[in-house]
Amino acid sequence: MPRPESATRVDFRSPNLEDGQHLWRMAREARVLDVNTSYAYLLWARDFAETSIIATIDDDPGGFVTGYRRPDDPETLMIWQVAVGDQYRGQGLASRMLDDLVDRSSDAPVRHLETTITADNSASIALFTSFANARKAPIERTPLFEAEMFPDGHDAELLFRIGPF
Ligand SMILES: CC(C)(COP(=O)(O)OP(=O)(O)OC[C@H]1O[C@@H](n2cnc3c(N)ncnc32)[C@H](O)[C@@H]1OP(=O)(O)O)[C@@H](O)C(=O)NCCC(=O)NCCS
């Protein structure tokens, strides 16, 4: 498989309807993510494309970030899921996708980024901590979804709120 540093092309763009299936597949292949229905990813690609991103490496879908601006706080970008294919990990792809999303020009700048993380996801904690450090932005960590709130034995999700930028 081609690797980003030797690839002819790494592209970042908003997902389209054709990409919905790739988001679903990458979420499934990541193994540690909640895999939502394929319908959910298609819906996301239609309605939240502007706050989501897919990375392709020589046209091969290699990673994605899904997010939305919080309806009651539009300067906060909530990141729902991030995944990078096994073969493309450890090369800064996830960091670059986050940077690209946050820095996209828009009438309203993003001043905070939020995400939720389970305590055992060290890769995700490292990704968002590195993102905050690079921007010299503070991180607030607070409980959000307690384990008891989930009906299916899901682990607790801690809210990471980063910013202001
Ligand atoms: C988390 C994930 C998206 C990281 O993707 P990636 O492209 O390899 O990440 P990057 O190369 O941009 O690394 C970003 C930072 O995280 C660190 N990091 C990445 N993976 C790591 C791991 N497994 N363990 C520890 N640190 C890790 C990197 O060292 C880097 O830190 P630095 O900037 O201080 O050097 C990827 O491992 C993945 O898809 N995991 C499965 C799905 C998941 O857990 N998603 C996050 C929750 S939604």
Side-chain angles (χ1 to χ4, degrees):
M1 292 300 269
R3 296 166 64 83
E5 62 264 31
S6 61
T8 50
R9 223 174 62 239
V10 178
D11 287 319
F12 297 108
R13 59 177 168 75
S14 293
N16 56 42
L17 287 188
E18 302 303 317
D19 295 319
Q21 60 186 294
H22 300 307
L23 306 193
W24 176 81
R25 181 183 48 75
M26 288 189 274
R28 193 185 51 171
E29 289 173 358
R31 292 179 301 276
V32 298
L33 294 181
D34 289 341
V35 184
N36 298 275
T37 61
S38 50
Y39 182 95
Y41 294 94
L42 281 164
L43 195 65
W44 213 270
R46 190 189 85 144
D47 287 342
F48 299 102
E50 269 189 37
T51 48
S52 300
I53 190 165
I54 182 169
T56 59
I57 296 91
D58 285 344
D59 296 327
D60 180 36
F64 76 86
V65 179
T66 45
Y68 63 91
R69 285 182 185 252
R70 297 194 62 210
D72 57 356
D73 180 11
E75 292 189 344
T76 294
L77 178 68
M78 174 70 189
I79 300 296
W80 180 37
Q81 291 190 314
V82 185
V84 169
D86 277 345
Q87 68 273 44
Y88 301 124
R89 288 186 188 171
Q91 300 168 59
L93 201 58
S95 300
R96 288 166 64 193
M97 288 194 289
L98 286 181
D99 282 336
D100 196 85
L101 264 185
V102 169
D103 296 335
R104 269 182 191 175
S105 59
S106 155
D107 290 347
V110 172
R111 291 184 43 78
H112 287 89
L113 180 146
E114 288 186 350
T115 196
T116 71
I117 306 181
T118 54
D120 61 350
N121 194 337
S122 49
S124 189
I125 292 170
L127 167 65
F128 286 97
T129 302
S130 161
F131 171 86
N133 290 343
R135 288 174 189 252
K136 298 187 171 42
I139 310 182
E140 226 178 80
R141 298 171 187 80
T142 50
L144 182 61
F145 304 133
E146 305 284 3
E148 305 74 52
M149 294 173 180
F150 290 97
D152 55 359
H154 196 293
D155 289 333
E157 293 268 353
L158 200 62
L159 177 69
F160 278 52
R161 182 169 166 84
I162 302 170
F165 306 129

